[in-house]
């Protein structure tokens, strides 16, 4: 009897504990968001993140708060002998946090750890067709695991950051995957604010994905990188890179896609150029 009463009491406490945890996490993030943005961090973003220099002042202010939260919350781990510095933390935080501007969330829902390698790294891969299993190697610039870490190569981060118009940005790419994975599946459909938006999102993104697949097959030029034709999740990540780095071209050549991303990110990067 006592055991049953004890079990009921413990079960009853779990939701209260979870609510308390969520409330205190929100309070901690709000506190970090409101903190003064350190002058050293400002120097790093100014020199390392050209996209930051394009932002209107109001968004810069917001980004400062989000960077504070990101640096306070994320667990950065250096791999392959890399020593994590403020330059690495802030350069990654600034770009990842661009995806959170003007939105309710102050941080990525499932993100805990960011593993940073000094150079583009080689990952072991295993593939199977049911009969034969093939062990191989794959060169990676970055990866985003569902409920797991984001893995980045620092040389790719620096390379992607320095050219702001090539639509190749590994941080924007991997953190777009994080947003996509928040609902438990990496399928190119992140959580949208209103249910009513899913129909248009699916229609526009499927159509554009098919166009990119066709362009790839026929070796036609495209504003979007052909890697986006790999699957719908990669399409969303590549479209995000293009939205931030080639907004005018995207708005001109893919107006419906641009509009969907503009609604989703609540930003209009074409106006910053
Ligand atoms: Zn990807």
């Amino acid at each position: 009897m006592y055991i049953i009463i004890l079990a009921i009491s413990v079960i009853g406490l779990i939701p209260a504990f979870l609510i308390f945890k969520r409330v205190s996490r929100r309070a901690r993030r709000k506190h970090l968001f409101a903190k003064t943005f350190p002058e050293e961090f400002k120097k790093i973003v100014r020199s390392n993140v050209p996209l930051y220099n394009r932002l209107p002042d109001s968004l810069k202010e917001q980004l400062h708060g989000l960077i504070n939260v990101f640096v306070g919350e994320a667990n950065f781990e250096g791999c392959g002998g890399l020593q994590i510095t403020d330059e690495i933390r802030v350069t990654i935080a600034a770009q990842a946090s661009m995806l959170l501007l003007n939105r309710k969330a102050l941080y990525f829902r499932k993100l805990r750890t960011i593993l940073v390698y000094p150079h583009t790294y080689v990952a072991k891969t295993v593939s199977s067709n049911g009969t034969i299993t093939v062990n191989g190697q794959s060169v990676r610039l970055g990866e985003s695991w569902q409920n797991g870490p984001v893995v980045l190569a620092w040389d790719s981060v620096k390379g992607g950051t320095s050219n702001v118009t090539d639509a190749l940005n590994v941080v924007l790419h991997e953190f777009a995957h994080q947003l996509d994975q928040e609902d438990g599946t990496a399928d190119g459909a992140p959580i949208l604010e209103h249910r009513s938006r899913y129909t248009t999102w699916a229609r526009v993104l499927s159509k554009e994905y098919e166009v990119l697949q066709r362009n790839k097959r026929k070796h036609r030029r495209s504003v979007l990188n052909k890697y986006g034709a790999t699957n719908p999740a990669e399409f969303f990540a590549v479209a995000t890179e293009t939205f931030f780095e080639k907004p005018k071209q995207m708005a001109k050549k893919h107006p419906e896609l641009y509009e969907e991303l503009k609604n989703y990110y609540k930003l209009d990067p074409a106006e910053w150029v």
Side-chain angles (χ1 to χ4, degrees), residues 75-89:
N75 171 38
F76 284 88
E77 284 181 25
C79 305
L82 183 75
Q83 207 66 20
I84 296 292
T85 60
D86 277 348
E87 186 192 5
I88 294 175
R89 278 191 200 95

Side-chain angles (χ1 to χ4, degrees), residues 142-144 173-174 177 227 231 233-235 237-238 241:
E143 284 174 84
S144 169
H173 184 105
E174 299 308 333
H177 281 315
Y227 183 64
N231 58 46
E234 294 307 337
F235 181 78
V238 164
E241 291 175 87

Side-chain angles (χ1 to χ4, degrees), residues 40-218:
E40 316 88 77
F41 285 12
K42 214 176 269 181
K43 279 186 200 147
I44 296 168
V45 283
R46 275 193 195 129
S47 71
N48 282 13
V49 187
L51 204 49
Y52 166 85
N53 297 317
R54 284 185 182 179
L55 294 179
D57 286 346
S58 59
L59 288 180
K60 275 185 186 159
E61 279 301 312
Q62 219 187 106
L63 191 70
H64 294 164
L66 291 169
I67 296 170
N68 279 339
V69 175
F70 197 105
V71 169
E73 289 277 333
N75 171 38
F76 284 88
E77 284 181 25
C79 305
L82 183 75
Q83 207 66 20
I84 296 292
T85 60
D86 277 348
E87 186 192 5
I88 294 175
R89 278 191 200 95
V90 173
T91 305
I92 293 171
Q95 296 171 87
S97 301
M98 295 244 178
L99 306 184
L100 301 180
L101 284 167
N102 283 349
R103 289 148 59 89
K104 252 189 252 160
L106 297 176
Y107 189 62
F108 292 85
R109 245 188 242 196
K110 297 193 170 176
L111 179 66
R112 298 286 172 271
T113 301
I114 300 162
L115 303 177
V116 192
Y117 283 83
H119 308 291
T120 304
Y121 55 98
V122 178
K124 284 188 179 145
T125 58
V126 181
S127 57
S128 169
N129 64 1
T131 330
I132 306 165
T133 300
V134 181
N135 292 301
Q137 289 189 327
S138 153
V139 176
R140 308 276 172 88
L141 314 177
E143 284 174 84
S144 169
W145 291 81
Q146 203 166 302
N147 292 326
V150 167
V151 190
L152 294 166
W154 177 233
D155 60 354
S156 308
V157 171
K158 290 267 275 185
T161 309
S162 59
N163 187 336
V164 76
T165 57
D166 61 358
L168 295 173
N169 185 308
V170 70
V171 180
L172 295 177
H173 184 105
E174 299 308 333
F175 283 90
H177 281 315
Q178 277 287 310
L179 293 176
D180 184 14
Q181 290 160 349
E182 281 181 350
D183 61 358
T185 44
D187 56 1
I191 298 169
L192 304 180
E193 207 170 33
H194 302 289
R195 267 167 178 259
S196 59
R197 297 222 58 89
Y198 283 96
T199 316
T200 322
W201 179 274
R203 181 182 61 76
V204 172
L205 272 87
S206 313
K207 190 181 79 183
E208 296 280 355
Y209 173 56
E210 281 166 24
V211 170
L212 188 63
Q213 284 190 311
R214 207 162 41 242
N215 286 343
K216 188 182 177 187
R217 262 195 321 273
K218 300 194 170 177

